[in-house]
Amino acid sequence: NATRGAGIYNDGGSLTLTANTRIRCNIAQGSNSPVVGGGGGIYNLNGDLTLTDVILDQNETVSTAPDGNGGGIYADLQSGGSLRLTRAVVDNNDASAANGGGIYLSKVLSSSVASIVDSTLSSNQATNGGGLYIQRGRVDISGSSIVQNAADSLGGGGNGTPSGKVEGKQEQ
């Protein structure tokens, strides 16, 4: 258990996780401090995070927003960095008192990269954005499945604030 990034905390570094890596059953508890908590599985602050053939499952946050955002992944890219998922599985993560059960993506700069390719976001739950919550910025999604996620309020599969944008590509 930790306040942020109970499984992994990446502060501005370059982190690559590949095949046979599983991040499971971690709990981020948040705090009452001015520092935002969250990221049950991974908390990525302005770093380059690449996940290829990785499974994130059964991670959770137990605080309300903003401390409880991102059951599986909390990615804050306000000063740069990237989030790249390829053939990743983000499954059964919980931010039920906050946003982004699977992934919470915050403040993506135009110079930052956020992409989800050939991946699955499933059975995650949150108050808003059960599978994916985009606070600001853009994420490109291609060849991926966002299925059976649940949200108590807005966006079972995904939700974005007015400045959040999802770009999808039709696969043939």
Side-chain angles (χ1 to χ4, degrees), residues 17-111:
L17 302 175
T18 58
N20 300 318
T21 301
R22 188 172 199 174
I23 300 164
R24 182 176 203 209
C25 297
N26 298 287
I27 301 171
Q29 296 180 339
S31 70
N32 292 324
S33 73
V35 178
V36 174
I42 299 173
Y43 188 97
N44 182 52
L45 178 63
N46 303 315
D48 292 312
L49 178 61
T50 302
L51 306 176
T52 305
D53 299 315
V54 170
I55 298 171
L56 280 98
D57 65 329
Q58 299 178 34
N59 299 289
E60 66 179 298
T61 60
V62 294
S63 296
T64 57
D67 281 342
N69 292 330
I73 300 170
Y74 183 113
D76 186 339
L77 306 178
Q78 66 181 330
S79 296
S82 64
L83 174 66
R84 292 180 174 93
L85 276 68
T86 304
R87 295 181 306 279
V89 175
V90 180
D91 179 63
N92 199 28
N93 297 286
D94 186 351
S96 57
N99 305 310
I103 300 171
Y104 180 85
L105 191 57
S106 176
K107 304 172 189 140
V108 182
L109 295 177
S110 59
S111 61

Side-chain angles (χ1 to χ4, degrees), residues 77 81-84 105 108 112-116 138-141:
L77 306 178
S82 64
L83 174 66
R84 292 180 174 93
L105 191 57
V108 182
S112 299
V113 174
S115 65
I116 301 171
R138 170 187 163 155
V139 60
D140 294 317
I141 301 172

